[in-house]
Amino acid sequence: VITEFADDDAKKQAAQIEEFVKSQADCIVIAPVSSNELADALDQAGEARIPVIAYDSLLMNTDAVSFYLSFDYKGAGILIGQTMIKKAGLDHLADGEYKTIEFFMGDSGNRNARLLYKGLMEALKPYLDEGTLVCKSGRTSMKSAAIAGETKEKAKKRCADILAEYYN
């Protein structure tokens, strides 16, 4: 097994795929940096009859993918929400008590991030609606909670801004 990391660089990942094709790999399993930017490299794998397994994100604009493997993101969101409810003791708060939460979701263009959000909200929305869980910034929609481009820097800045404005 040869493992490569593309450091969130689609061009680097495409070059890695091309190297796997040149070395006549038996199979390529890929967690794509970009669903759309790897088609040319993947087409080379298809032409070389190397099976390609897409893990976690669909690979678009190519017929070279043999299998797609993922898991239940909505179900994972529900489980995360249920764990938060239990750990925060939301079902056992006294009248008028509440816990706070802020949401930092993946890019709204990311299907998996949207599914995770949907499951998370399925679990947490009743607590948000009744006021035992409060989001002081008001960023509870997927659109407002999403971190465009999913960068750590953007998430850190948003966190610092929210802390400064809502949590003295």
Side-chain angles (χ1 to χ4, degrees):
V1 175
I2 299 170
T3 305
E4 294 285 348
F5 296 93
D7 303 318
D8 292 326
D9 181 339
K11 288 182 183 4
K12 182 176 180 179
Q13 193 167 51
Q16 291 167 341
I17 294 167
E18 290 168 2
E19 284 301 314
F20 288 140
V21 171
K22 286 178 188 171
S23 67
Q24 300 176 341
D26 293 321
C27 178
I28 299 172
V29 180
I30 182 168
V33 169
S34 168
S35 296
N36 296 307
E37 296 180 45
L38 303 173
D40 291 341
L42 292 168
D43 287 343
Q44 291 176 31
E47 289 168 14
R49 301 175 103 25
I50 298 172
V52 174
I53 300 172
Y55 175 73
D56 199 35
S57 292
L58 292 172
L59 288 162
M60 309 303 287
N61 306 320
T62 183
D63 293 326
V65 178
S66 305
F67 299 97
Y68 169 65
L69 181 66
S70 188
F71 58 91
D72 182 0
Y73 281 93
K74 182 182 176 197
I78 291 169
L79 290 173
I80 291 167
Q82 289 171 341
T83 300
M84 294 168 78
I85 291 163
K86 183 178 177 182
K87 295 283 185 181
L90 295 180
D91 289 325
H92 306 290
L93 295 176
D95 283 343
E97 274 191 311
Y98 65 90
K99 300 285 182 160
T100 59
I101 189 168
E102 294 296 335
F103 297 94
F104 293 78
M105 302 304 300
D107 191 299
S108 60
N110 180 321
R111 177 182 177 273
N112 297 338
R114 291 191 313 270
L115 289 170
L116 185 77
Y117 170 82
K118 187 174 182 178
L120 187 62
M121 283 300 155
E122 187 173 308
L124 298 180
K125 190 167 182 344
Y127 299 91
L128 289 163
D129 289 347
E130 70 185 23
T132 54
L133 190 59
V134 174
C135 178
K136 290 185 179 184
S137 72
R139 291 176 177 260
T140 58
S141 70
M142 178 63 192
K143 184 177 180 180
S144 66
I147 305 292
E150 301 176 337
T151 67
K152 292 177 191 174
E153 293 77 21
K154 287 180 182 179
K156 284 180 183 180
K157 180 171 179 358
R158 179 181 295 169
C159 186
D161 291 347
I162 288 172
L163 287 172
E165 187 170 347
Y166 300 99
Y167 299 89
N168 294 327

